[in-house]
Amino acid sequence: MTLTSMGTTVSIGAWRFTLRGAELADLAYDGEPVLRAIRFVTREHDWRTADDTVLAQMTDTDADSTSGRLRIEASASYDDAEVLRYVLEVTVDGPTLHVDAVGTTTTPFRRNRIGLVVLHPPTLAGVPVTARHPSGTVTEAVFPTWIAPHQPAADLSGLDWSTGRVALTLDLAGDVFETEDQRNWTDASFKTYSTPLSEPFPVALDAGSVVHQSLTLHATTDDRPGGTASPAPDLAFLDGPAPTAVVAPPPTLQLLAASAPAAARPAGARPLGVPVLVEPVLSDPNVGAVLASARLDAGGGPLDVRFVTDDPDRLRAAIDDVLDSGAVVRIGAFDPTSHVTTPALQQALRDAAAAVGDLAVVAGTRAHFTELNRTVDLFRDWDGPLTFSVTPQMHDRSPEQVTESVRMQRWVVMSASRLAAGRALHVGPVTLRPRFNAVATSARAVVTDATIEAGYGPQFVADATDPAQHSAAARAWFAASVEALTVPGVASITLAEAWGPRGGR
C-alpha cells in the first residue's frame, strides 16, 4: 500500500528535495539521499503537533545555478485556531544548505517544543556519527541498529556522519538539540530536535514570543570506491518474510471494542468470531456498560480484558467479576498514569492466575513500544506474555508517514521480540490514530456518566478518528500491518475497533 501527498520538486545545483507544504522532504545531494526531512514543528502542552498552513512561498533561483533562495511563510494551528506564524528562509550555496527559522506566537499558549526538526533516514542504522557539543567537545556515537529506548545523542550543537558517497556536517544554532529514535513510534526516522526533554515543560508563552533557530548542512562527495560511509548492517529482515518460513501457530487476530455512541451500533451485525479487546478504566462509573458493550461486539466470543487501574485490590475484585460474566481469553492491567503494568499489578495478575488455575494474563504497556522499551527492567521477574500497541500518527499525519510506518512495524516487533527473550507477544491495538494521549500533561477528563450512550474513551479523544478509516487504502494498510507484525513469538494482533468511525465497518 502506498499513500502519497502532492509535492513540488526543487533542484538547486547538486541539491534536490520535495517541498510538501512547509516541509523540505527527501533531501538528496549529488543523487545520494541524505535526509528524510527538515521541518518547523510546534508541540503544545499535551504534545499535539500543530497543523501547518502555507501562507506564501517565494523561490529565487536559476535552472543552471548552484545557488538559490526559498522563502516559506506558514501558520500553525490547533483545531483551526492559530497559535503561531513562522518564516523559513532556505539558502543554497553550492554544497551548503542553510535554513533560518523565525516563529512568532500570535496568541498565548503553553508549548512543550517549538523549532526546527531534522529527520534522518532509518537506513543510517549502524552508521557511526560524531556528536558535537556546545562546550566544544565531541562524542563518537552510532545511529542504533536495534531501537534505542533513550536518546543516542544529546546536548548537541552539531552532527557529522556519512551516507553512501556523501559526508555531511550539520551545524545547529538557536537552542540545544538532541537526537531520538523515532522508530519507537513506528516513524521511519531518527529525529534531531530541540528543546531537550531534560528541560522543564510545558512553558507558558505570551503572544509575540519569538523563537529563532537555524541549521546549516554541508555536503562533500567522495567518489572513491566504497565512498565515505562505513558498511551498514544487514537489514534484510525489514523487507523480507518473517525470520522463519512458518510462524506456528499463526497469531490470533482480534478487534478492539467499539467506543462510538451506542445508538450507532450496526443493526443485525453478525458475530465477529474473534476475541474482542476491551480497556475498562476501573475508576470510571461506566465499567459495567463498557464490558457489556464489548460482550455485544464479541457476539458470544471471548473478551481480552485489559483493566486500567493503579489499585491491585480493585483489580483482583474486577477480575473475579469479569470471569463470572462470560468467556475471557486473557486479563491484563495498566497503571493510568504510566500506562505500564507496575510490579504491584503484575503480582495481582499472578495471584489471580494462580487462584483460577487456567487464567491467561498479559503485562506490558497499553501505549507505544516506547514505553515497553524504556521500562523493560520492570518486567525482569515477569515470565508471562508482553504487550504494546501500535499507531503510526503520533508525530505526523501525512500519508507518507502512514505508509512508511509499516516497514518500521517489522523493526519494532523484532526489537520487542529481543526484549521479550522468549516470552510471547500480544501486539495491539493497531490503530491509525492514537486512541488516547499517552504523553499528555493535562489531567484526564473526569467521567461521570455510568452509561456509554454518548460513547466512551477514544470517542472523546482529540484526533483519534482518521477520516480515511474506512477507505480501501486503510484496509490495505491494516493487511500490510498484520503481515509486518507476524513473526515468531507473536501470539495475537489486535486491530481497529469492531465498528464505528474507528472501526472496520
Side-chain angles (χ1 to χ4, degrees):
M1 181 203 69
T2 301
L3 297 170
T4 57
S5 57
M6 298 299 291
T8 302
T9 300
V10 177
S11 294
I12 304 175
W15 290 97
R16 182 183 177 93
F17 55 86
T18 300
L19 197 59
R20 295 192 187 123
E23 174 187 77
L24 280 63
D26 300 325
L27 288 87
Y29 181 79
D30 198 17
E32 191 79 43
V34 295
L35 288 180
R36 283 289 322 285
I38 298 173
R39 59 176 67 144
F40 188 90
V41 172
T42 303
R43 309 290 301 275
E44 46 94 273
H45 61 283
D46 283 332
W47 290 107
R48 293 172 63 202
T49 302
D51 295 319
D52 290 350
T53 301
V54 174
L55 304 175
Q57 178 183 314
M58 292 158 280
T59 304
D60 180 13
T61 182
D62 297 324
D64 298 327
S65 176
T66 60
S67 63
R69 299 176 65 87
L70 173 67
R71 179 183 172 92
I72 302 169
E73 299 176 10
S75 170
S77 302
Y78 292 99
D79 305 318
D80 298 322
E82 182 184 83
V83 297
L84 178 141
R85 290 199 176 193
Y86 64 92
V87 176
L88 300 182
E89 296 276 4
V90 183
T91 305
V92 173
D93 184 8
T96 302
L97 183 147
H98 179 79
V99 180
D100 190 80
V102 178
T104 305
T105 57
T106 55
T107 189
F109 82 108
R110 291 186 296 155
R111 64 88 175 155
N112 286 348
R113 179 179 300 152
I114 299 175
L116 288 168
V117 166
V118 176
L119 300 184
H120 311 267
T123 49
L124 288 177
V127 171
V129 59
T130 298
R132 289 181 278 111
H133 309 294
S135 63
T137 60
V138 299
T139 302
E140 299 302 328
V142 66
F143 289 102
T145 299
W146 295 108
I147 300 175
H150 302 289
Q151 283 71 8
D155 188 32
L156 297 176
S157 60
L159 293 170
D160 304 317
W161 75 99
S162 297
T163 177
R165 300 177 299 111
V166 177
L168 294 151
T169 296
L170 175 65
D171 294 311
L172 303 160
D175 203 339
V176 177
F177 288 69
E178 62 189 16
T179 300
E180 74 181 3
D181 194 338
Q182 285 210 131
R183 298 172 301 169
N184 275 292
W185 297 271
T186 71
D187 295 42
S189 60
F190 302 100
K191 177 174 70 176
T192 298
Y193 62 91
S194 67
T195 307
L197 283 173
S198 58
E199 295 293 322
F201 63 84
V203 174
L205 298 178
D206 295 326
S209 299
V210 176
V211 175
H212 185 191
Q213 297 178 1
S214 65
L215 65 84
T216 303
L217 185 64
H218 183 81
T220 304
T221 303
D222 185 346
D223 287 316
R224 295 174 300 176
T228 64
S230 301
D234 182 6
L235 304 179
F237 69 83
L238 296 176
D239 296 312
T244 59
V246 177
V247 178
T252 300
L253 295 184
Q254 305 186 159
L255 290 175
L256 181 62
S259 61
R265 179 181 295 277
R270 293 176 298 172
L272 294 169
V274 299
V276 169
L277 190 155
V278 60
E279 300 174 304
V281 180
L282 290 185
S283 60
D284 290 349
N286 61 7
V287 173
V290 167
L291 286 167
S293 178
R295 291 284 184 198
L296 288 176
D297 293 345
L303 296 186
D304 183 337
V305 186
R306 315 280 180 91
F307 292 109
V308 180
T309 182
D310 58 2
D311 187 335
D313 293 332
R314 176 179 273 185
L315 171 61
R316 284 300 311 279
I319 291 174
D320 292 340
D321 289 343
V322 78
L323 291 176
D324 288 339
S325 67
V328 172
V329 69
R330 75 184 55 85
I331 299 283
F334 309 107
D335 182 89
T337 302
S338 67
H339 310 298
V340 302
T341 313
T342 61
L345 294 175
Q346 292 174 38
Q347 188 60 53
L349 291 172
R350 285 194 202 91
D351 293 344
V356 174
D358 60 351
L359 176 63
V361 292
V362 64
T365 179
R366 68 189 292 250
H368 314 274
F369 171 69
T370 318
E371 281 71 28
L372 181 63
N373 203 13
R374 291 176 176 176
T375 65
V376 70
D377 284 347
L378 290 178
F379 304 97
R380 57 183 176 273
D381 297 325
W382 175 263
D383 58 4
L386 294 170
T387 187
F388 61 93
S389 67
V390 172
T391 182
Q393 299 183 66
M394 172 64 178
H395 300 112
D396 180 2
R397 294 200 293 267
S398 70
E400 291 77 16
Q401 167 75 16
V402 177
T403 299
E404 292 162 355
S405 72
V406 172
R407 189 168 184 253
M408 297 303 101
Q409 288 175 25
R410 173 62 63 85
W411 217 322
V412 162
V413 77
M414 294 298 290
S415 292
S417 182
R418 293 178 75 246
L419 296 181
R423 293 167 287 187
L425 291 171
H426 293 281
V427 181
V430 179
T431 57
L432 280 172
R433 295 275 182 92
R435 67 198 190 283
F436 70 99
N437 189 338
V439 293
T441 62
S442 299
R444 177 176 175 267
V446 176
V447 176
T448 58
D449 189 354
T451 77
I452 57 167
E453 294 304 310
Y456 71 95
Q459 177 68 24
F460 300 106
V461 174
D463 302 325
T465 304
D466 193 313
Q469 179 73 38
H470 297 130
S471 67
R475 289 192 293 273
W477 184 86
F478 280 109
S481 294
V482 170
E483 182 178 356
L485 295 167
T486 299
V487 301
V490 174
S492 75
I493 301 172
T494 301
L495 300 175
E497 294 189 8
W499 53 269
R502 293 164 296 283
R505 56 177 174 169

